[in-house]
Amino acid sequence: MDPFFIRDTPKSFEEASSALQEAVVDQGFGVLAVHDLGNTLRSKGLPFPEQCRIFEVCNPQQAAAVLSTTMALNMALPCRISVYTEAGQTRLGMIRPEAMLAGLSADPSLREVARAVEASTTAIIKAAAA
C-alpha cells in the first residue's frame, strides 16, 4: 500500500487551505499550527516556486490513546496534512497514520486508534479537495 494519501483538487492553493481548515473542525480535530514552508524557504533566499503549507492537526482523545501505549510516540504526533502545488496542480496529502504507526509499534490497541485516525484524516482530505 502507498504510504502517502494524496488527492488533487481543482481549488486554488488558498481555497484548498481554507477548505482544509473547515474540514478539520468538521471531523472533530483542531489545527494546532500551520507552517508555510514555501514562504519560509523563499524568505531564506531560496528559489522555491511552489506553495506548501503543512497543517498540524490533532484529535485530543486519539492523541491521548496513542500516548497511553508508548510515550515515545509523541514524536509521531500531531498528524500533518499538507496543501501544496506541484507543476500548477493543487494537492492535499499526508503520510498514512496506520502505516506510520505500524512501523513504530506492534501494540494491537494502537492499530485500532491508527485506523480511526486514518479514516478521519482521509475524510478531511477528501472533503477539502471536493
Side-chain angles (χ1 to χ4, degrees):
M1 176 183 280
D2 189 348
F4 301 103
F5 181 80
I6 300 170
R7 286 289 182 265
D8 291 349
T9 181
K11 295 176 181 175
S12 71
F13 175 76
E14 292 299 335
E15 290 170 333
S17 293
S18 293
L20 179 64
Q21 295 223 31
E22 292 174 21
V24 165
V25 173
D26 290 345
Q27 283 292 322
F29 281 62
V31 175
L32 301 178
V34 179
H35 305 282
D36 194 324
L37 189 56
N39 279 344
T40 298
L41 292 174
R42 286 186 289 279
S43 76
K44 304 296 181 192
L46 297 168
F48 189 75
E50 302 290 356
Q51 298 293 327
C52 180
R53 282 193 188 127
I54 302 162
F55 293 76
E56 292 187 349
V57 304
C58 183
N59 176 293
Q61 292 79 17
Q62 291 172 329
V66 168
L67 295 176
S68 71
T69 64
T70 305
M71 190 58 193
L73 290 174
N74 71 77
M75 293 173 252
L77 300 177
C79 295
R80 297 162 51 112
I81 300 176
S82 295
V83 178
Y84 63 100
T85 60
E86 190 169 30
Q89 176 65 57
T90 303
R91 297 192 160 117
L92 296 101
M94 68 177 176
I95 296 174
R96 292 177 183 271
E98 192 173 354
M100 180 179 57
L101 291 177
L104 299 173
S105 173
D107 187 315
S109 66
L110 183 62
R111 287 191 186 138
E112 293 174 29
V113 174
R115 269 189 216 106
V117 169
E118 187 163 324
S120 295
T121 51
T122 299
I124 289 168
I125 291 171
K126 287 178 179 178

